[in-house]
Amino acid sequence: MAHHIETHGTQAAAVFARQDAWHQLGTTVAGDAFTAEEAMRLGHLGGWDVRTVALNATEVTEDGMSSIGVPNRFATVRTNPFTGCAEALGVVGSQYQPIQNEEHAEVLNRLVDDSGAIFDTAGSLKGGRQVFITMRLPQTIKVAGVDEISINLGALNSHDGSQAFRLLVTPVRIVCANTQHAALRDHRASVVIRHTVSAAARIAAARDALGMTFEYVEAFEAEAEAMINQSVTDAQFVAITRGLFGWKDDPSKNEAKNQQRREAALLGLWAEAQTQTGIRHTAWAGYQAVAEYVDHVQPVRTKGDHAIARAERLLTTEGPIRLKTTAWAQFAPA
């Protein structure tokens, strides 16, 4: 897996307020947090001037080359923060309105006074095609009074037309930095803002997302409490995890080796990991063992740093979210 955080030589378009799996590729800020302005400057996210340019196709004929306009299609273009050169990022329709990184940060800036949240991470992925900024809410919750969870607000934007602007709630288990993806009944965890709406509508949606966050946290805490009060046997844990990751009764030699290695790692987390202290043999512990495996243990294909590749997989792919959401639904009491 090639890494996705944008780099230029030894510089990276990322900034972090704490040490974690991404810090080797970004600027770690002294202290506990940074401002939106610092995110733009230290994370090389400012001054991109993302714009749309009419799209043309070039045809080579016997008489030479001719340019053909493509109706209602435009290229999104930015100014590269490291080279100063213009570069294309994607293709969009005529209604698409770029959301600048500065606007992205300003949407979150409006939430600072309302919630007391502080900026935590920010960066550019896939050559500027995607940008992320996260904020950490000042309050934490404790499941059954023993397991501490912090609540993050994440804002994800794309400049290539592949995704809408999204605001999402991301609970994080402090003891092992597991991101929690809960399959909560009747509670959404994200707000989608299309690139066709006004800046005022984006701010209003951000405020809606903050209200959604508080409702989500209450529901999350209630379901987590139910899970920590539900016992799970070793046999139940094995059955659920085999269903989650797949298990073949007649595997090839290589498949058998991979299955055994995965099950040994999951059982090791379930039965022996210090991160299970105080919650062991509960449904909550079962879910956390799966989350810890996905976040910190599950193999990744890379020739570089496995921890960095694993962290980037969490940011840029849907697979880990689907696995953990399914795990939550499987372990949660009916």
Side-chain angles (χ1 to χ4, degrees), residues 18 27 47 81 239 246 294:
R18 53 191 163 81
T27 301
V294 171

Side-chain angles (χ1 to χ4, degrees), residues 102-326:
E102 290 84 352
E103 295 177 86
H104 183 156
E106 180 57 23
V107 167
L108 292 182
N109 242 348
R110 295 298 183 96
L111 302 183
V112 173
D113 292 338
D114 292 348
S115 67
I118 56 177
F119 285 90
D120 197 40
T121 67
S124 168
L125 304 168
K126 299 183 179 180
R129 291 169 179 81
Q130 296 179 0
V131 173
F132 67 93
I133 300 176
T134 69
M135 302 177 75
R136 185 158 33 95
L137 294 179
Q139 301 86 3
T140 62
I141 61 175
K142 279 195 174 181
V143 180
V146 297
D147 210 18
E148 192 171 11
I149 304 287
S150 68
I151 306 299
N152 285 24
L153 286 175
L156 307 174
N157 188 28
S158 74
H159 293 306
D160 61 356
S162 62
Q163 295 179 344
F165 185 99
R166 289 187 298 155
L167 291 158
L168 66 158
V169 188
T170 308
V172 178
R173 186 172 181 237
I174 291 175
V175 69
C176 53
N178 290 343
T179 52
Q180 313 288 292
H181 292 282
L184 298 183
R185 302 173 186 88
D186 303 320
H187 283 85
R188 59 199 175 106
S190 64
V191 170
V192 173
I193 307 173
R194 303 199 179 281
H195 284 80
T196 55
V197 302
S198 67
R202 294 170 200 151
I203 299 300
R207 294 261 167 84
D208 288 344
L210 188 58
M212 170 202 74
T213 298
F214 297 135
E215 293 175 1
Y216 179 91
V217 169
E218 288 180 4
F220 177 92
E221 188 172 14
E223 291 203 18
E225 290 275 357
M227 291 170 73
I228 209 169
N229 289 314
Q230 176 75 38
S231 296
V232 170
T233 66
D234 292 348
Q236 287 173 322
F237 177 78
V238 169
I240 289 173
T241 52
R242 285 186 177 185
L244 282 171
F245 292 95
W247 184 271
K248 292 186 177 181
D249 293 325
D250 187 25
S252 67
K253 184 177 180 180
N254 190 52
E255 288 171 336
K257 182 179 179 180
N258 290 335
Q259 284 185 169
Q260 291 163 4
R261 181 182 298 144
R262 181 180 63 231
E263 186 154 284
L266 285 162
L267 283 170
L269 292 170
W270 165 251
E272 301 171 5
Q274 290 185 350
T275 50
Q276 295 277 348
T277 301
I279 64 171
R280 207 176 300 279
H281 296 124
T282 65
W284 179 246
Y287 169 76
Q288 294 303 334
V290 172
E292 187 169 354
Y293 176 80
V294 171
D295 285 359
H296 303 292
V297 180
Q298 189 174 26
V300 289
R301 295 179 180 178
T302 180
K303 294 181 180 179
D305 188 296
H306 285 257
I308 294 172
R310 196 173 289 113
E312 290 169 347
R313 180 175 63 187
L314 296 174
L315 274 173
T316 61
T317 66
E318 294 295 321
I321 294 175
R322 284 196 298 269
L323 261 175
K324 287 189 279 187
T325 299
T326 304

Side-chain angles (χ1 to χ4, degrees), residues 41-109:
R41 178 172 55 85
L42 297 175
H44 302 280
L45 299 176
W48 286 19
D49 184 27
V50 180
R51 59 234 186 235
T52 56
V53 177
L55 195 62
N56 290 281
T58 301
E59 182 181 35
V60 180
T61 66
E62 293 180 355
D63 299 324
M65 297 175 60
S66 60
S67 180
I68 305 170
V70 181
N72 299 316
R73 305 298 288 171
F74 298 81
T76 54
V77 176
R78 73 159 182 177
T79 301
N80 185 291
F82 298 108
T83 67
C85 297
E87 58 186 12
L89 300 176
V91 177
V92 297
S94 59
Q95 300 300 310
Y96 182 92
Q97 295 184 26
I99 299 176
Q100 304 298 332
N101 294 339
E102 290 84 352
E103 295 177 86
H104 183 156
E106 180 57 23
V107 167
L108 292 182
N109 242 348

